[in-house]
Amino acid sequence: MKRVKKPVFFVVFLLIMAFAASVLFGFSSYYGDIETVYVKGVDDIRFGIDIKGGVDVTFTPPEGFDATDEQLDSAKEVIVQRMINLNITDYEAYIDYNNDRIIVRFPWKEGEAEFDPEAAVKELGETAQLTFREGIELDSMNKPTGVTAENIILEGKDVAEAYAAYDQSANAGSQWVVALNLTDEGAQKFAAATEKLYSEGGVISIWMDDTCISYPKVSAVITDGKATISGNFDADSSKKLADQINSGALPFKLVTASFSTISPSLGMGALEAMVVAGIIAFACIALFMIIVYRLPGFIAVIALIGQVAGTLAFVSGYFGFNASGILTIPGIAGIILAVGMGVDANVITAERIKEELNNGKTLDGALISGYQRALSAIMDGNITMILVAIILMGAFGTPDSIFAKALHFVFFMFGPSTAGTIYSFGFTLLTGTILNLFFGVLCSRLMLMSLSGFKAFRNPKLYGGAKK
């Protein structure tokens, strides 16, 4: 193995420190009151409801009612739309089709001390009111006014079914549409409305409560109760609109099966305690590594700083290719456990180097042999931890997460878990363990091999061996 050049230590060290500083503080600029964020820092980390405080609620149909998958999809769309109307944009909502459950989590609203979670949950669970109205006249609050407020063409009960369809007819030009099947009464109302609006070139707006979700132009007189809504739809957007329309005709009321809240003060208190405990623990670990393992221990501390910074970077969305995650208290525990894996990797390497020196090898030979002999043990432990983290993320992640999809063939029978905070634990454990292989193995080796080229650092005692 070629000797690592002396400047490599300083290059790697400065890169790790600069990276850690950028992760800690981020980088943004202000133009007046407008902030432009270029690099996200720890202040941009999104905390879970167990830290920030919030609501965790599970909705189900009434006892004895077996809801279809389509009805559950429609109910979810109503809940999502209602959360948006309540200015709740940082939320999780997913469906357990096996047990007819809709699981919703959302944090406390920013800057609102009087937010009433029970009232919000009650409003989320109310059956939505779907209406088809004449025209698209809006007031300053984007609510229906004038002719649109007065002339209701259809209500949710008039829609028998809505579904996404791919229209390949010559006139449509092959496109995704939303198909509607109306009831007999609804067909009569719709025929009269379309006859009037077609001659005027008007539109029919579709409303969920007081929110307009679509306003298609009337392009024909429809008398058979079968209509299509066309536009710039794809498979997902057409299904979403169909679900929203179906939700207005839901035959059941959502029941709150479980409901829990966590106050922001309790969550932030737990966060502050864990951060302080983490800093103290890291300082103790750093002191222990330096005293016991000397120069390899000092290098290990630098590598651990890079590992922790890298994990926080993935959580905050520091890297442009990954979206920001949500950090929970179990997620912080995952960071701590990954640090333990990093310490373990460096301890194994330092002990191997010490053994080689005490067996009579030269410093260069001991360093090369020590890293080679330690690698297999480090890889075994880290790969095992990576597999555990992936299983946790697959079992406790939301249905649209990559590992939940990959492991669906294993966990499909159990349905989505309500313990979403465990996903954060798996995520931080996974990223921390992978980063350990980079910082704790590769970067540590480069820095230690580089320092060993300086005469001042050639004494075997600095590496745990006996002094020459």
Side-chain angles (χ1 to χ4, degrees), residues 9 23 30 39 107 109 128 148 160 227 231 262 294 325 359 381 412-413 431 464:
F9 166 79
V23 171
Y30 284 90
V39 176
K109 293 171 67 175
T148 304
I262 298 176
R294 300 161 195 175
N359 287 336
F412 73 94
M413 64 190 74
T431 54

Side-chain angles (χ1 to χ4, degrees), residues 24-171:
L24 183 62
F25 300 106
F27 180 70
S28 62
S29 64
Y30 284 90
Y31 183 77
D33 294 333
I34 301 174
E35 181 184 14
T36 302
V37 178
Y38 302 102
V39 176
K40 292 183 178 180
V42 293
D43 288 340
D44 298 302
I45 291 177
R46 297 163 55 211
F47 293 109
I49 63 173
D50 58 343
I51 295 176
K52 188 177 181 181
V55 179
D56 190 325
V57 59
T58 300
F59 294 108
T60 64
E63 186 176 356
F65 187 91
D66 185 16
T68 65
D69 291 353
E70 291 75 17
Q71 290 169 340
L72 290 170
D73 287 335
S74 299
K76 175 193 168 186
E77 286 299 327
V78 172
I79 292 172
V80 169
Q81 185 62 56
R82 286 178 178 272
M83 283 192 287
I84 293 172
N85 292 344
L86 289 169
N87 294 322
I88 300 171
T89 57
D90 189 7
Y91 60 83
E92 298 175 48
Y94 49 96
I95 301 171
D96 178 359
Y97 294 103
N98 294 343
N99 299 301
D100 288 354
R101 299 185 304 170
I102 302 174
I103 302 161
V104 179
R105 300 188 188 93
F106 57 89
W108 293 87
K109 293 171 67 175
E110 290 284 356
E112 187 168 341
E114 298 181 357
F115 178 53
D116 186 348
E118 293 188 16
V121 169
K122 182 179 179 181
E123 187 171 348
L124 292 178
E126 291 178 349
T127 303
Q129 181 182 9
L130 177 77
T131 54
F132 287 60
R133 298 172 180 265
E134 181 180 331
I136 180 69
E137 293 186 24
L138 308 175
D139 63 14
S140 59
M141 302 296 291
N142 289 326
K143 293 184 178 181
T145 187
V147 173
T148 304
E150 296 169 359
N151 294 354
I152 297 177
I153 300 170
L154 299 176
E155 297 179 354
K157 64 182 180 180
D158 297 317
V159 180
E161 181 185 20
Y163 57 92
Y166 192 69
D167 190 350
Q168 294 181 304
S169 62
N171 293 333

